[in-house]
Amino acid sequence: MKTYIGTKLIKAEPAYQEIDLKHLPAKARDGYRVVYPDGYESWSPKDVFEKAYHQFGSDKNTVTQADVDGFIAKKEVSTVKANTTLVIVTLVNGFILTESSACVDPTNYDQKYGAEICMKKIKDKIWFLLGFLLQCGINGLNGGK
């Protein structure tokens, strides 16, 4: 078998499913009711759903600032040498983005300002990546071929 990856845009809401536990009373299991673009509906267990899908803040097929900010799981800021700021950001999916900024004269160095410059660059990358992901969700990975 070959390995495939897929991306799709769906609608979903929290839902419960009654499960039969072999002669025990039925128990509700957390999950999501999922509606696909063609109208097909299904139910997905909570852990499976939350590993596969990330909620976008807008229903208007656009990436928002909240989406970008919400995709950042961890930020590390450090100073390298006497004049360089290094920022390492881990995204919610584990992907790592890095940026650096530096000044010519170490006496002018300000780590906070350097981190702001790096975060702007990193957030621009996240906008790009989420835009790409959303486009794939709308049109598929092969452009609907």
mmCIF file of all heavy atoms in Angstrom, residues 78-118:
data_model
loop_
_atom_site.group_PDB
_atom_site.id
_atom_site.type_symbol
_atom_site.label_atom_id
_atom_site.label_comp_id
_atom_site.label_asym_id
_atom_site.label_seq_id
_atom_site.Cartn_x
_atom_site.Cartn_y
_atom_site.Cartn_z
ATOM 1 N N SER A 78 15.969 33.820 22.713
ATOM 2 C CA SER A 78 17.304 33.830 23.306
ATOM 3 C C SER A 78 18.191 34.836 22.591
ATOM 4 O O SER A 78 17.902 35.257 21.467
ATOM 5 C CB SER A 78 17.936 32.434 23.258
ATOM 6 O OG SER A 78 18.039 31.986 21.937
ATOM 7 N N THR A 79 19.270 35.213 23.267
ATOM 8 C CA THR A 79 20.264 36.109 22.691
ATOM 9 C C THR A 79 21.479 35.281 22.303
ATOM 10 O O THR A 79 21.964 34.461 23.088
ATOM 11 C CB THR A 79 20.677 37.203 23.701
ATOM 12 O OG1 THR A 79 19.526 37.983 24.002
ATOM 13 C CG2 THR A 79 21.765 38.094 23.142
ATOM 14 N N VAL A 80 21.950 35.494 21.079
ATOM 15 C CA VAL A 80 23.130 34.808 20.576
ATOM 16 C C VAL A 80 24.211 35.863 20.381
ATOM 17 O O VAL A 80 23.959 36.918 19.790
ATOM 18 C CB VAL A 80 22.824 34.105 19.228
ATOM 19 C CG1 VAL A 80 24.037 33.374 18.709
ATOM 20 C CG2 VAL A 80 21.636 33.172 19.372
ATOM 21 N N LYS A 81 25.407 35.559 20.854
ATOM 22 C CA LYS A 81 26.485 36.546 20.867
ATOM 23 C C LYS A 81 25.993 37.756 21.669
ATOM 24 O O LYS A 81 25.274 37.618 22.630
ATOM 25 C CB LYS A 81 26.915 36.903 19.448
ATOM 26 C CG LYS A 81 27.317 35.696 18.622
ATOM 27 C CD LYS A 81 28.789 35.596 18.480
ATOM 28 C CE LYS A 81 29.133 34.365 17.650
ATOM 29 N NZ LYS A 81 30.511 34.060 17.758
ATOM 30 N N ALA A 82 26.300 38.953 21.261
ATOM 31 C CA ALA A 82 25.888 40.125 22.033
ATOM 32 C C ALA A 82 24.869 40.980 21.296
ATOM 33 O O ALA A 82 24.404 41.978 21.823
ATOM 34 C CB ALA A 82 27.114 40.967 22.379
ATOM 35 N N ASN A 83 24.502 40.566 20.059
ATOM 36 C CA ASN A 83 23.671 41.460 19.253
ATOM 37 C C ASN A 83 22.603 40.765 18.417
ATOM 38 O O ASN A 83 22.045 41.352 17.508
ATOM 39 C CB ASN A 83 24.564 42.280 18.316
ATOM 40 C CG ASN A 83 25.258 41.410 17.281
ATOM 41 O OD1 ASN A 83 25.434 40.214 17.468
ATOM 42 N ND2 ASN A 83 25.659 42.018 16.179
ATOM 43 N N THR A 84 22.325 39.497 18.703
ATOM 44 C CA THR A 84 21.393 38.741 17.866
ATOM 45 C C THR A 84 20.309 38.094 18.713
ATOM 46 O O THR A 84 20.607 37.452 19.721
ATOM 47 C CB THR A 84 22.143 37.651 17.070
ATOM 48 O OG1 THR A 84 23.176 38.292 16.307
ATOM 49 C CG2 THR A 84 21.215 36.901 16.143
ATOM 50 N N THR A 85 19.071 38.259 18.272
ATOM 51 C CA THR A 85 17.931 37.613 18.919
ATOM 52 C C THR A 85 17.528 36.413 18.069
ATOM 53 O O THR A 85 17.410 36.516 16.847
ATOM 54 C CB THR A 85 16.731 38.568 19.025
ATOM 55 O OG1 THR A 85 17.140 39.725 19.755
ATOM 56 C CG2 THR A 85 15.560 37.913 19.736
ATOM 57 N N LEU A 86 17.315 35.286 18.710
ATOM 58 C CA LEU A 86 16.842 34.079 18.056
ATOM 59 C C LEU A 86 15.501 33.708 18.668
ATOM 60 O O LEU A 86 15.373 33.626 19.887
ATOM 61 C CB LEU A 86 17.837 32.927 18.245
ATOM 62 C CG LEU A 86 17.413 31.567 17.684
ATOM 63 C CD1 LEU A 86 17.323 31.625 16.162
ATOM 64 C CD2 LEU A 86 18.381 30.490 18.131
ATOM 65 N N VAL A 87 14.491 33.517 17.811
ATOM 66 C CA VAL A 87 13.166 33.097 18.272
ATOM 67 C C VAL A 87 12.843 31.765 17.618
ATOM 68 O O VAL A 87 12.940 31.618 16.395
ATOM 69 C CB VAL A 87 12.079 34.144 17.939
ATOM 70 C CG1 VAL A 87 10.700 33.642 18.346
ATOM 71 C CG2 VAL A 87 12.384 35.467 18.631
ATOM 72 N N ILE A 88 12.456 30.796 18.447
ATOM 73 C CA ILE A 88 12.039 29.475 17.980
ATOM 74 C C ILE A 88 10.583 29.301 18.403
ATOM 75 O O ILE A 88 10.258 29.418 19.585
ATOM 76 C CB ILE A 88 12.898 28.357 18.589
ATOM 77 C CG1 ILE A 88 14.374 28.568 18.228
ATOM 78 C CG2 ILE A 88 12.405 26.984 18.143
ATOM 79 C CD1 ILE A 88 15.326 27.652 18.982
ATOM 80 N N VAL A 89 9.716 29.061 17.427
ATOM 81 C CA VAL A 89 8.291 28.869 17.694
ATOM 82 C C VAL A 89 7.912 27.446 17.296
ATOM 83 O O VAL A 89 8.253 26.989 16.204
ATOM 84 C CB VAL A 89 7.440 29.895 16.913
ATOM 85 C CG1 VAL A 89 5.975 29.511 16.898
ATOM 86 C CG2 VAL A 89 7.621 31.283 17.515
ATOM 87 N N THR A 90 7.224 26.770 18.195
ATOM 88 C CA THR A 90 6.667 25.450 17.899
ATOM 89 C C THR A 90 5.178 25.630 17.659
ATOM 90 O O THR A 90 4.471 26.234 18.482
ATOM 91 C CB THR A 90 6.901 24.475 19.068
ATOM 92 O OG1 THR A 90 8.295 24.432 19.357
ATOM 93 C CG2 THR A 90 6.393 23.079 18.715
ATOM 94 N N LEU A 91 4.695 25.131 16.520
ATOM 95 C CA LEU A 91 3.280 25.232 16.183
ATOM 96 C C LEU A 91 2.509 24.081 16.838
ATOM 97 O O LEU A 91 3.112 23.115 17.323
ATOM 98 C CB LEU A 91 3.103 25.216 14.662
ATOM 99 C CG LEU A 91 3.868 26.298 13.900
ATOM 100 C CD1 LEU A 91 3.606 26.188 12.403
ATOM 101 C CD2 LEU A 91 3.518 27.684 14.405
ATOM 102 N N VAL A 92 1.195 24.174 16.836
ATOM 103 C CA VAL A 92 0.373 23.164 17.507
ATOM 104 C C VAL A 92 0.559 21.773 16.904
ATOM 105 O O VAL A 92 0.345 20.775 17.591
ATOM 106 C CB VAL A 92 -1.126 23.541 17.519
ATOM 107 C CG1 VAL A 92 -1.364 24.797 18.334
ATOM 108 C CG2 VAL A 92 -1.684 23.690 16.118
ATOM 109 N N ASN A 93 0.994 21.686 15.651
ATOM 110 C CA ASN A 93 1.217 20.385 15.032
ATOM 111 C C ASN A 93 2.647 19.884 15.220
ATOM 112 O O ASN A 93 3.024 18.854 14.679
ATOM 113 C CB ASN A 93 0.852 20.421 13.542
ATOM 114 C CG ASN A 93 1.730 21.354 12.744
ATOM 115 O OD1 ASN A 93 2.598 22.036 13.277
ATOM 116 N ND2 ASN A 93 1.502 21.401 11.438
ATOM 117 N N GLY A 94 3.471 20.627 15.978
ATOM 118 C CA GLY A 94 4.849 20.232 16.249
ATOM 119 C C GLY A 94 5.871 20.814 15.285
ATOM 120 O O GLY A 94 7.080 20.689 15.508
ATOM 121 N N PHE A 95 5.422 21.458 14.203
ATOM 122 C CA PHE A 95 6.337 22.071 13.235
ATOM 123 C C PHE A 95 7.043 23.245 13.896
ATOM 124 O O PHE A 95 6.443 23.982 14.679
ATOM 125 C CB PHE A 95 5.548 22.526 12.003
ATOM 126 C CG PHE A 95 6.407 22.869 10.823
ATOM 127 C CD1 PHE A 95 7.026 21.879 10.084
ATOM 128 C CD2 PHE A 95 6.590 24.193 10.450
ATOM 129 C CE1 PHE A 95 7.816 22.198 8.972
ATOM 130 C CE2 PHE A 95 7.372 24.518 9.350
ATOM 131 C CZ PHE A 95 7.983 23.513 8.610
ATOM 132 N N ILE A 96 8.316 23.430 13.593
ATOM 133 C CA ILE A 96 9.122 24.480 14.219
ATOM 134 C C ILE A 96 9.513 25.532 13.190
ATOM 135 O O ILE A 96 9.952 25.205 12.086
ATOM 136 C CB ILE A 96 10.382 23.890 14.878
ATOM 137 C CG1 ILE A 96 9.959 22.991 16.047
ATOM 138 C CG2 ILE A 96 11.331 24.988 15.344
ATOM 139 C CD1 ILE A 96 11.092 22.226 16.681
ATOM 140 N N LEU A 97 9.312 26.796 13.561
ATOM 141 C CA LEU A 97 9.744 27.930 12.748
ATOM 142 C C LEU A 97 10.780 28.713 13.553
ATOM 143 O O LEU A 97 10.629 28.881 14.768
ATOM 144 C CB LEU A 97 8.568 28.850 12.416
ATOM 145 C CG LEU A 97 7.462 28.253 11.552
ATOM 146 C CD1 LEU A 97 6.283 29.222 11.464
ATOM 147 C CD2 LEU A 97 7.987 27.943 10.165
ATOM 148 N N THR A 98 11.830 29.209 12.870
ATOM 149 C CA THR A 98 12.851 30.013 13.546
ATOM 150 C C THR A 98 13.093 31.292 12.759
ATOM 151 O O THR A 98 12.955 31.321 11.537
ATOM 152 C CB THR A 98 14.187 29.257 13.669
ATOM 153 O OG1 THR A 98 14.681 28.949 12.369
ATOM 154 C CG2 THR A 98 14.033 27.976 14.464
ATOM 155 N N GLU A 99 13.439 32.322 13.478
ATOM 156 C CA GLU A 99 13.837 33.598 12.878
ATOM 157 C C GLU A 99 14.888 34.230 13.775
ATOM 158 O O GLU A 99 14.937 33.969 14.976
ATOM 159 C CB GLU A 99 12.653 34.557 12.730
ATOM 160 C CG GLU A 99 11.801 34.329 11.513
ATOM 161 C CD GLU A 99 12.518 34.588 10.182
ATOM 162 O OE1 GLU A 99 13.574 35.254 10.169
ATOM 163 O OE2 GLU A 99 11.999 34.099 9.170
ATOM 164 N N SER A 100 15.687 35.100 13.164
ATOM 165 C CA SER A 100 16.676 35.852 13.930
ATOM 166 C C SER A 100 16.679 37.299 13.468
ATOM 167 O O SER A 100 16.244 37.612 12.361
ATOM 168 C CB SER A 100 18.068 35.240 13.755
ATOM 169 O OG SER A 100 18.477 35.343 12.415
ATOM 170 N N SER A 101 17.143 38.156 14.357
ATOM 171 C CA SER A 101 17.364 39.563 14.009
ATOM 172 C C SER A 101 18.622 40.011 14.736
ATOM 173 O O SER A 101 18.966 39.470 15.788
ATOM 174 C CB SER A 101 16.154 40.427 14.418
ATOM 175 O OG SER A 101 16.051 40.465 15.823
ATOM 176 N N ALA A 102 19.299 40.967 14.160
ATOM 177 C CA ALA A 102 20.558 41.421 14.748
ATOM 178 C C ALA A 102 20.736 42.910 14.521
ATOM 179 O O ALA A 102 20.130 43.494 13.623
ATOM 180 C CB ALA A 102 21.735 40.664 14.134
ATOM 181 N N CYS A 103 21.566 43.510 15.342
ATOM 182 C CA CYS A 103 21.931 44.912 15.137
ATOM 183 C C CYS A 103 23.442 44.981 14.940
ATOM 184 O O CYS A 103 24.178 44.074 15.324
ATOM 185 C CB CYS A 103 21.474 45.776 16.309
ATOM 186 S SG CYS A 103 22.280 45.409 17.866
ATOM 187 N N VAL A 104 23.904 46.054 14.350
ATOM 188 C CA VAL A 104 25.325 46.203 14.059
ATOM 189 C C VAL A 104 26.120 46.472 15.333
ATOM 190 O O VAL A 104 27.143 45.843 15.590
ATOM 191 C CB VAL A 104 25.544 47.345 13.035
ATOM 192 C CG1 VAL A 104 27.025 47.603 12.829
ATOM 193 C CG2 VAL A 104 24.858 46.998 11.711
ATOM 194 N N ASP A 105 25.627 47.362 16.142
ATOM 195 C CA ASP A 105 26.337 47.783 17.354
ATOM 196 C C ASP A 105 25.699 47.137 18.574
ATOM 197 O O ASP A 105 24.547 47.431 18.903
ATOM 198 C CB ASP A 105 26.278 49.306 17.466
ATOM 199 C CG ASP A 105 27.069 49.855 18.626
ATOM 200 O OD1 ASP A 105 27.501 49.069 19.508
ATOM 201 O OD2 ASP A 105 27.249 51.086 18.666
ATOM 202 N N PRO A 106 26.415 46.267 19.274
ATOM 203 C CA PRO A 106 25.849 45.597 20.445
ATOM 204 C C PRO A 106 25.324 46.555 21.523
ATOM 205 O O PRO A 106 24.440 46.189 22.292
ATOM 206 C CB PRO A 106 27.012 44.758 20.987
ATOM 207 C CG PRO A 106 27.909 44.551 19.822
ATOM 208 C CD PRO A 106 27.767 45.795 18.975
ATOM 209 N N THR A 107 25.816 47.776 21.555
ATOM 210 C CA THR A 107 25.301 48.724 22.557
ATOM 211 C C THR A 107 23.871 49.156 22.234
ATOM 212 O O THR A 107 23.170 49.670 23.106
ATOM 213 C CB THR A 107 26.207 49.979 22.674
ATOM 214 O OG1 THR A 107 26.245 50.643 21.415
ATOM 215 C CG2 THR A 107 27.613 49.592 23.123
ATOM 216 N N ASN A 108 23.431 48.941 21.008
ATOM 217 C CA ASN A 108 22.054 49.255 20.613
ATOM 218 C C ASN A 108 21.117 48.052 20.733
ATOM 219 O O ASN A 108 19.934 48.160 20.427
ATOM 220 C CB ASN A 108 22.009 49.749 19.156
ATOM 221 C CG ASN A 108 22.716 51.056 18.991
ATOM 222 O OD1 ASN A 108 22.746 51.887 19.896
ATOM 223 N ND2 ASN A 108 23.310 51.259 17.825
ATOM 224 N N TYR A 109 21.646 46.905 21.167
ATOM 225 C CA TYR A 109 20.870 45.668 21.179
ATOM 226 C C TYR A 109 19.730 45.718 22.202
ATOM 227 O O TYR A 109 19.902 46.150 23.322
ATOM 228 C CB TYR A 109 21.771 44.464 21.478
ATOM 229 C CG TYR A 109 21.003 43.166 21.558
ATOM 230 C CD1 TYR A 109 20.479 42.586 20.416
ATOM 231 C CD2 TYR A 109 20.787 42.541 22.783
ATOM 232 C CE1 TYR A 109 19.761 41.413 20.481
ATOM 233 C CE2 TYR A 109 20.074 41.359 22.852
ATOM 234 C CZ TYR A 109 19.550 40.802 21.695
ATOM 235 O OH TYR A 109 18.829 39.645 21.770
ATOM 236 N N ASP A 110 18.549 45.247 21.765
ATOM 237 C CA ASP A 110 17.363 45.169 22.633
ATOM 238 C C ASP A 110 16.651 43.853 22.288
ATOM 239 O O ASP A 110 16.043 43.731 21.219
ATOM 240 C CB ASP A 110 16.451 46.370 22.366
ATOM 241 C CG ASP A 110 15.198 46.388 23.230
ATOM 242 O OD1 ASP A 110 14.792 45.325 23.737
ATOM 243 O OD2 ASP A 110 14.620 47.471 23.369
ATOM 244 N N GLN A 111 16.736 42.885 23.194
ATOM 245 C CA GLN A 111 16.159 41.570 22.921
ATOM 246 C C GLN A 111 14.647 41.651 22.668
ATOM 247 O O GLN A 111 14.133 40.980 21.778
ATOM 248 C CB GLN A 111 16.428 40.601 24.067
ATOM 249 C CG GLN A 111 15.939 39.190 23.740
ATOM 250 C CD GLN A 111 16.029 38.249 24.917
ATOM 251 O OE1 GLN A 111 15.403 38.484 25.952
ATOM 252 N NE2 GLN A 111 16.812 37.177 24.749
ATOM 253 N N LYS A 112 13.956 42.478 23.438
ATOM 254 C CA LYS A 112 12.502 42.600 23.269
ATOM 255 C C LYS A 112 12.164 43.090 21.856
ATOM 256 O O LYS A 112 11.280 42.537 21.186
ATOM 257 C CB LYS A 112 11.922 43.545 24.317
ATOM 258 C CG LYS A 112 10.429 43.671 24.260
ATOM 259 C CD LYS A 112 9.896 44.610 25.343
ATOM 260 C CE LYS A 112 8.405 44.808 25.161
ATOM 261 N NZ LYS A 112 7.860 45.784 26.077
ATOM 262 N N TYR A 113 12.852 44.103 21.389
ATOM 263 C CA TYR A 113 12.620 44.633 20.045
ATOM 264 C C TYR A 113 12.989 43.590 18.990
ATOM 265 O O TYR A 113 12.267 43.383 18.010
ATOM 266 C CB TYR A 113 13.411 45.922 19.840
ATOM 267 C CG TYR A 113 13.163 46.582 18.507
ATOM 268 C CD1 TYR A 113 11.894 47.030 18.159
ATOM 269 C CD2 TYR A 113 14.201 46.747 17.594
ATOM 270 C CE1 TYR A 113 11.658 47.627 16.921
ATOM 271 C CE2 TYR A 113 13.977 47.346 16.364
ATOM 272 C CZ TYR A 113 12.704 47.776 16.036
ATOM 273 O OH TYR A 113 12.473 48.357 14.820
ATOM 274 N N GLY A 114 14.114 42.894 19.195
ATOM 275 C CA GLY A 114 14.520 41.837 18.275
ATOM 276 C C GLY A 114 13.477 40.722 18.205
ATOM 277 O O GLY A 114 13.176 40.202 17.129
ATOM 278 N N ALA A 115 12.900 40.361 19.347
ATOM 279 C CA ALA A 115 11.869 39.321 19.375
ATOM 280 C C ALA A 115 10.619 39.775 18.628
ATOM 281 O O ALA A 115 9.978 38.976 17.934
ATOM 282 C CB ALA A 115 11.535 38.950 20.811
ATOM 283 N N GLU A 116 10.264 41.048 18.750
ATOM 284 C CA GLU A 116 9.101 41.577 18.013
ATOM 285 C C GLU A 116 9.316 41.461 16.501
ATOM 286 O O GLU A 116 8.404 41.081 15.762
ATOM 287 C CB GLU A 116 8.849 43.041 18.386
ATOM 288 C CG GLU A 116 8.290 43.245 19.774
ATOM 289 C CD GLU A 116 8.197 44.721 20.165
ATOM 290 O OE1 GLU A 116 8.368 45.594 19.285
ATOM 291 O OE2 GLU A 116 7.980 44.982 21.357
ATOM 292 N N ILE A 117 10.517 41.799 16.047
ATOM 293 C CA ILE A 117 10.845 41.687 14.618
ATOM 294 C C ILE A 117 10.743 40.230 14.165
ATOM 295 O O ILE A 117 10.134 39.922 13.133
ATOM 296 C CB ILE A 117 12.256 42.250 14.344
ATOM 297 C CG1 ILE A 117 12.269 43.766 14.561
ATOM 298 C CG2 ILE A 117 12.729 41.887 12.931
ATOM 299 C CD1 ILE A 117 13.652 44.374 14.595
ATOM 300 N N CYS A 118 11.298 39.328 14.959
ATOM 301 C CA CYS A 118 11.254 37.898 14.619
ATOM 302 C C CYS A 118 9.823 37.375 14.599
ATOM 303 O O CYS A 118 9.441 36.613 13.700
ATOM 304 C CB CYS A 118 12.072 37.089 15.627
ATOM 305 S SG CYS A 118 13.851 37.377 15.528
#
